[in-house]
Amino acid sequence: MELKTIMQKFASSGWDLIAIPAQRWLDGNVDKAALIAAIEQADKECGSCGCDFDPLYKRALELLA
């Protein structure tokens, strides 16, 4: 349930890098490796900017491991 909530936030973020793979995950059509790669890239690009998503990237990766 926690992962679903995070994916819903990612899907509604408006940032295609994470929104598209998160929506695919929610729809049940996910390539897990692609989702993890997208979240890792988002974390690399934005993971320390201070926004609400910063801790979500790390938590999603933990839950997907």
Side-chain angles (χ1 to χ4, degrees):
M1 187 56 128
E2 180 183 6
L3 185 57
K4 182 178 180 182
T5 301
I6 292 170
M7 291 301 154
Q8 289 169 331
K9 288 180 183 181
F10 288 169
S12 66
S13 70
W15 188 17
D16 286 351
L17 175 65
I18 57 169
I20 292 170
Q23 187 60 55
R24 287 184 182 143
W25 184 89
L26 290 166
D27 293 342
N29 301 318
V30 70
D31 174 351
K32 187 175 177 181
L35 176 61
I36 290 171
I39 296 170
E40 286 174 339
Q41 184 63 36
D43 187 40
K44 193 182 298 182
E45 290 183 24
C46 180
S48 60
C49 73
C51 76
D52 292 342
F53 287 94
D54 290 353
L56 297 181
Y57 302 133
K58 290 154 188 65
R59 184 62 182 147
L61 291 170
E62 288 174 9
L63 293 170
L64 288 165

